[in-house]
Amino acid sequence: MKFIMNIGNRLSAIVTLLLLLFMVSCTNDEGESYPITLTKVTTVSDLSTSISEASLGDFIAIHGTGLDLQNIDSILINDVKVDLLDAYSENDILYLKIPVKLAVDITNKIYIYNSLGCQEIPFKTNSPALKLDRMFNEYTNPGDTIMIYGDFFELYEIDSLNAVVDFNGKISKVIESGNNYLTAQVPKDVEENIKVKVKGLKYDVEAVCPGRYRDKECMIMDFDESVPSNMANVITDINDKNRLSGNYLRIDDKSEWNSWWYIAEISNVPFTDDMLDNYENYVVKCEFYTANQLIDGKIKFCNYLFWDAAPMEWNPTDFVVQNFNRWETITLPFVVNRSSTYTDNSYYHSFNMRLEIDATIARNFAFDNIRICKKGD
C-alpha cells in the first residue's frame, strides 16, 4: 500500500510539473513579439485604393503584416497617441479613427511600436480651420460682454487661458468658451466699424469674424444720424431701458400704426450700383428685439425701394431669433424689385417699411441699425 501511495505522489508531482511547464510555454508564446511591416493606408470603405492623407476624425485602414493588436504596444499619428481600445485588427489590417487632436510635432507619419522597434509610413492629417460664424450682437456696448459663435474652439483650445479677441488692436481675454461659442468683454475704448478676430495662442491660429463691430459701411437707418422722415415710432428717450446704441424704432400696442402707414421711411439711401444690380450678393442686417413669436400669416413687413415697384417682403420665417427680450443681430433678405417703367438705378434710393399685421395679435418688437452688408463679409 505504501508503495502504491508513493507512486501516486510521484505521478501527481509529474503532472503538476508538466502543467506548470505548459503554462510557462503558453505565456512565452503569448508575450512574444514578431516583426511589423506597413504597406499602405486606405479608407475603410475602399481597401484597395491607397490614400496619403485624411482629416481628423476620419476612419482609416492600415495594411501590412504583424498588425494583430496583441503584437502592438502603441500607435502614434504625428505625436498624437491613438487609444488602442478604439482600434480593431483583422487579417493584418488595422482599423482606427484618427484622433481629433492637434499635433505639436508634425512629421506627417504614422508610427507603430512593439518590443522589436518602430515601423512608420508617410501619412498627412488635415485639421479644419478655426471658424467664426457671427457676433450675437454686433452693437454690443463698449464694456459689455459680447458672444461670438464659430466652430472647433475646443480643438484649438480657444479658452480663457489660450485665446484672446482682437478688436482692431485692442485685446480682450476670452471669459468663457465651448466648442462653438465664446464670450469676451468689449474694450471700453473700442473703435466703431472694425473687424474682430479671435486668436488662439497655443497653436498660433486666428480667424476673422464675419461682419463688423458697429458696422457703418452702408447704413439705411440708425435712427440717430440716418433717421426716418416721421419720428413717431422712434424712441428717443435716453433713459429708455431697452435702448441699445441710441434711438431705435419700436412698434407696440401704443405705436402709431395701421396696415397702410409706413412705420419708417427714408430717402437718399447710399445703395451702390453693385448692390442694386447684384442684390443676391447682399443681405440686410439689423439689431432686432422682440417679446413675441412672429406668426406666419399674421405679420409681414413690406419694404419699398421705389413707389412704383413691388416691395421686398420679410415674413416670420425670415426672422431667425435666438432669444426673446434681448437685442441680437439678425440677417434678412435683400431683394430689388424693379418697376417696368422706371428701371434706372437712380430711382432706387429710398427705403420705406410698411407693416401688415393681424390687429388681434400683440405688437412688441423693435429695430435698430438697419444696414446693407455683403454676404460672407
Side-chain angles (χ1 to χ4, degrees):
M1 176 66 69
K2 186 176 180 180
F3 175 73
I4 294 173
M5 290 178 63
N6 287 336
I7 292 176
N9 290 336
R10 289 179 182 179
L11 286 173
S12 178
I14 291 171
V15 170
T16 301
L17 180 60
L18 289 173
L19 286 172
L20 288 171
L21 290 173
F22 177 75
M23 292 173 65
V24 169
S25 175
C26 288
T27 302
N28 288 339
D29 288 343
E30 291 174 358
E32 184 180 353
S33 297
Y34 42 97
I36 293 173
T37 63
L38 305 178
T39 56
K40 67 178 180 179
V41 181
T42 70
T43 64
V44 296
S45 59
D46 180 2
L47 298 178
S48 300
T49 306
S50 296
I51 60 173
S52 59
E53 60 184 72
S55 298
L56 301 186
D58 284 354
F59 288 88
I60 59 173
I62 303 172
H63 300 245
T65 59
L67 293 178
D68 191 316
L69 279 177
Q70 293 181 346
N71 189 47
I72 296 172
D73 293 335
S74 61
I75 306 168
L76 276 75
I77 302 178
N78 292 312
D79 63 352
V80 177
K81 194 169 185 178
V82 177
D83 189 341
L84 294 182
L85 293 176
D86 295 330
Y88 165 73
S89 65
E90 184 178 22
N91 298 326
D92 273 330
I93 301 178
L94 181 63
Y95 302 90
L96 58 86
K97 179 182 178 181
I98 300 173
V100 183
K101 184 178 180 180
L102 293 176
V104 176
D105 182 17
I106 300 174
T107 60
N108 293 324
K109 290 182 179 181
I110 297 174
Y111 304 92
I112 299 183
Y113 293 84
N114 71 0
S115 61
L116 298 180
C118 172
Q119 296 298 316
E120 61 186 50
I121 188 169
F123 194 76
K124 180 182 177 182
T125 56
N126 300 315
S127 54
L130 177 64
K131 181 182 178 183
L132 300 182
D133 293 326
R134 65 186 178 95
M135 292 172 258
F136 177 81
N137 181 349
E138 293 180 1
Y139 271 75
T140 301
N141 283 314
D144 286 352
T145 299
I146 193 169
M147 182 173 287
I148 299 174
Y149 292 95
D151 206 353
F152 309 114
F153 288 3
E154 291 178 352
L155 177 65
Y156 286 97
E157 299 187 34
I158 303 299
D159 54 33
S160 59
L161 299 176
N162 298 297
V164 296
V165 180
D166 184 338
F167 293 85
N168 197 35
K170 294 181 171 62
I171 304 301
S172 181
K173 291 183 178 180
V174 171
I175 299 171
E176 183 182 4
S177 65
N179 190 48
N180 58 9
Y181 78 93
L182 65 81
T183 59
Q185 184 184 45
V186 179
K188 293 182 179 180
D189 58 348
V190 67
E191 302 169 22
E192 294 187 339
N193 200 37
I194 60 170
K195 300 297 287 186
V196 175
K197 300 177 183 178
V198 172
K199 297 182 176 182
L201 305 179
K202 183 171 182 178
Y203 295 101
D204 192 25
V205 294
E206 71 174 39
V208 180
C209 191
R212 291 174 175 269
Y213 174 75
R214 296 211 164 194
D215 182 14
K216 302 287 186 180
E217 291 293 287
C218 185
M219 187 64 69
I220 297 175
M221 281 184 282
D222 63 5
F223 307 100
D224 297 299
E225 298 176 7
S226 304
V227 299
S229 57
N230 185 339
M231 296 284 283
N233 294 317
V234 177
I235 304 303
T236 59
D237 181 2
I238 61 173
N239 296 315
D240 182 85
K241 64 178 182 179
N242 288 330
R243 192 176 176 90
L244 176 63
S245 59
N247 303 331
Y248 66 95
L249 176 72
R250 184 173 70 195
I251 302 296
D252 58 21
D253 293 333
K254 299 177 183 178
S255 301
E256 289 193 29
W257 169 89
N258 72 35
S259 62
W260 289 102
W261 287 357
Y262 290 125
I263 59 174
E265 54 185 334
I266 191 170
S267 57
N268 298 319
V269 178
F271 296 128
T272 66
D273 286 342
D274 188 61
M275 292 174 185
L276 296 173
D277 295 335
N278 302 290
Y279 63 83
E280 66 277 3
N281 296 329
Y282 293 84
V283 293
V284 174
K285 273 189 179 180
C286 64
E287 280 59 58
F288 184 69
Y289 177 104
T290 181
N292 306 102
Q293 179 71 45
L294 302 186
I295 302 172
D296 200 30
K298 298 288 187 179
I299 185 171
K300 179 170 63 175
F301 296 89
C302 299
N303 308 291
Y304 296 82
L305 305 188
F306 182 61
W307 65 268
D308 194 42
M312 164 179 36
E313 295 185 355
W314 294 336
N315 293 294
T317 52
D318 295 319
F319 288 77
V320 181
V321 177
Q322 189 169 327
N323 296 106
F324 293 130
N325 300 309
R326 187 177 178 187
W327 285 105
E328 61 183 283
T329 302
I330 64 170
T331 300
L332 296 163
F334 180 59
V335 178
V336 178
N337 296 316
R338 294 181 186 268
S339 162
S340 59
T341 306
Y342 305 92
T343 59
D344 191 79
N345 285 347
S346 61
Y347 293 102
Y348 297 86
H349 286 276
S350 61
F351 191 86
N352 307 308
M353 297 179 65
R354 181 171 65 82
L355 176 64
E356 292 185 6
I357 189 170
D358 187 320
T360 63
I361 69 171
R363 299 188 296 275
N364 191 352
F365 49 84
F367 292 88
D368 202 357
N369 307 305
I370 303 172
R371 56 198 184 273
I372 300 294
C373 301
K374 196 160 190 176
K375 288 181 180 178
D377 181 15

